[in-house]
Amino acid sequence: MVKVEDLSCGYGKEIVLKDISFEVKTGQFVGLIGPNGSGKTTMIRAISGLLPPQKGVILLNGNAVSRKRPRELAAKMAVVTQSQEATPPFSVEEFVLLGRVPHWGRFQLLETKTDVEIAERAMALTGISHLRGRGMGKLSGGERQLANLARALAQRPDLLLLDEPTAHLDIGHQVQIMRLLKKLNTEALTIVAVLHDLNLASLYCQRLILLNKGRLRMAGHPREVLTEEIINEVYETSIVVKEDPYISRPLVFPVY
Amino acid sequence: MMCNQNPKSKIPPGRRPLRAGGQNPKYYTWILWTFFLITILLGVAVFSLAVGAVDLPVRKAFFLLTKGRGTPEYAILFEVRLPRILLGFAVGGGLAISGVILQGMFRNPLVEPYTLGISGGAALGVCVNMVMGGPRVLGPLATSASGFLGAMGIIFLVYAISARGGGIRLSRLLLIGVMVSFMASSLIMLVMAVTRTEDLHGIIFWIMGSLEEPSSFLMKATLFISLGGMMLSFLFAVDLNALSLGEEEAFHLGVEVDRVKKALFVIASLLTGCCVAVAGIIGFVGLVVPHLMRLLVGGDHRILLVASYISGAAFLILCDTLARVVIAPMEFPVGVITGLVGGVVFIYAMSRKGYSF
Amino acid sequence: MLMRAFSPFVFFFLFLSNAFSFPSSTHPPHRIVSLVPTVTEELYLLGAGDKIVGVTVYCQRPPEAQTKEKVGTVIDVNIEKIIELRPDLVIASPLTDHKQIRKLWGLGLRVEIFDAPTDFQGLCESFLTLSRLVGKEQRAEEVLERTNKELEAVRKRIEGLAKRRVFVQIGANPLFTADRASFINDLIECSGGINIASDAKTGIYSREEVIKRNPDTILIVTMGIVGEREKEVWLRYETIGAVKNRRIFSLDSYRVCSPTPVSFVRTVKELVRLFHE
């Protein structure tokens, strides 16, 4: 579904990502991990088409992302960003309905019955139907994140990009979101998520892509990526890796 | 894909909102608001038609309309008061939606049509024109033309400076606009210092703003441009909704952010430029009305634009009526009333409950 | 959708205009609205005071003028009021809001603009023009003959007397004076004085220049400024001849700044007294 070939990109003269190549196959749940400043958010921006590549190419279903119009992209992929600086002056329902906009005609101004039903379903899936009428400014961090996710789902994308969907959330909300993503993934949604929590990434993702200082350090199954050697080197710390007793995934523990 | 099943199947029965005829009940609210505001607008217009320095019972209006041609009462109603009401409608509506567009675009509640230097540019254009003797040489339309050219000149200067280095960064645009405004007002003072007294009072009149426009061509032109701008901006209502989430989010929702920003910027500048050129500097309409409407009808630009246009028109007509009658036969500059009434209403609304932009 | 519903309403009213005209003016006019205080005064001098139906709130003289209907100020008039009075002549000044004048023209009213005269000659001419407008030429000529005679008498009296070097202050902050393009210049010359600021390009004048040119008389026209306070300001500059000899006088702005031929001569006489006695 997504093929990144020899990608270099950044902001103006500052190159953030260097010579990166990897592929995300349809139906995969891929975790993007790496230390702070390793270029994870930039990677999401590049795949989403917001940031044009300076070298190399990103293909979405075989077509270069940079040549597509925003509307075409938005009909295929949805992005949940980390930015929450603006408080939208909308109710939750209005906010989620905005996810239908990419599918509208150029001069369409009103949502159809189908749009409303899709938004309903997205809210039901994320469990925020009861917040429908509440203003976006009055949501807690977790509710806001769920609303963001619901809006992205209302886009009915083939590909879902998420930038730290579990940041600032308590463990209950973290697990709720990861379980939901896992469920959506089994319904054939391809997911690429930036994750800070290595253990969540290990438990839920099929594949991890580890970035370090703008380069691809390692890509593969969590068992291949989350080794003591690699993590200690990349994160410049000392951890131990133990195996999770239920599904035999590696878990990372800091050393006291 | 994820939602391929019948979307209705998974919604718990109790959670399903009531839908009448498949329509969103939100639209009924919108239609109600629109009718409510139009009623107010019509009420204000009739009130404005009825009061003035000369006493004319509005009952007589219908009689005058059919049989009163050629009488002074007819002239007062339909050639003095009505054109003013229509110009107030055009200018009030135009300024209000410019405010909605700019506040939505900049996601900044303090932006109003004049923040970007439009008024400063227009005033500078008018000043230079008057000092050079434009009105005497070029005829009465020269004042409005020079105001419009000044506004456009400044706004494209602001735009050109802030677009250097690629892409429009809105915060930079705003800052440069404010700076250019200051420079324009300094230049105005410079020009005024060396102006002859007769020209000076012309400039001051213009700066104070007035809805008295003797040229019915200009009045009609403003009305058409204002209504046209309203309809044009309505096409961007959904894009504005997306933009209010932030530019990055808007891009992810398929909005061609740079193109939309440019288009909206041009619409707002043209609208404001026209209003300022014809009516002078009438402050506060473009700042207060969008705020109050956001408070009343919500942040969805599909209703916000319509509601702001109507109530901006009603607000300005009302203020102009007050300006006409409070100290009749003399008049206040209408800007005095918009500032006072608007400011008081606004502060009251803000302090009444937790209002967030 | 809203606009579509709205437009018929708008267009209906748009095409209503220009259907009204006032009765064409018969000569001479008998319902006059004067928006210029001096014109009001001159109309009374011409014996046409009874023809006036509307004046500005500034039209204070003669006292009879104050009983007329008020239609606004010199710079801002009320169009409705004027229409209601059904005038067949409106006399405006260049200070009247141009938009309002154009509006009145657009309504089919006869509006004549009287420029502010810049010398006594202009004052007389404009007085004659006004008299022709209202059919009182004979009366005007009588008045002018009398004033000219009085002015001639004054001229004879001051012949041979030393000319006073005069500075006229009209405004403070900034210091404002009368240049050659003002009839105040004429007023001073007729009274046997020299306006030291007659070569100024605009009215704004520097205090340093006044000290340098050293006038022996300073006239303070109290228009919007307090004469006494301004006098004290001047008293600080002891090098000026006018200060040394305490020749600083205040003048009534009303008389000086809005003259008729008659009040012009009256002011000249007063200035002659100040300058030469």
Side-chain angles (χ1 to χ4, degrees), chain A residues 167-195:
Chain A
H168 314 300
L169 298 186
D170 62 46
I171 189 140
H173 280 100
Q174 285 183 351
V175 171
Q176 184 192 357
I177 286 192
M178 293 312 287
R179 277 196 182 144
L180 177 59
L181 290 178
K182 187 80 198 167
K183 175 162 166 276
L184 293 166
N185 179 241
T186 58
E187 289 167 17
L189 177 67
T190 311
I191 298 176
V192 176
V194 169
L195 293 168

Side-chain angles (χ1 to χ4, degrees), chain A residues 25-31 182 185-186 189 191 201-208 220-224 249:
Chain A
K25 293 209 170 67
T26 305
Q28 274 186 332
F29 186 169
V30 174
K182 187 80 198 167
N185 179 241
T186 58
L189 177 67
I191 298 176
S202 172
L203 287 175
Y204 289 95
C205 298
Q206 293 152 2
R207 223 171 114 79
L208 292 182
H221 190 275
R223 262 193 293 274
E224 295 169 305
R249 289 285 174 94

Side-chain angles (χ1 to χ4, degrees), chain B residues 183-197:
Chain B
M183 279 157 64
S185 53
S186 298
L187 285 175
I188 290 164
M189 279 193 259
L190 174 77
V191 173
M192 281 169 80
V194 296
T195 308
R196 302 183 318 142
T197 325

Side-chain angles (χ1 to χ4, degrees), chain C residues 153-166:
Chain C
V154 168
R155 200 165 293 150
K156 287 224 174 80
R157 231 193 92 199
I158 59 172
E159 227 167 41
L161 289 175
K163 296 235 187 258
R164 289 289 183 191
R165 293 169 44 76
V166 184

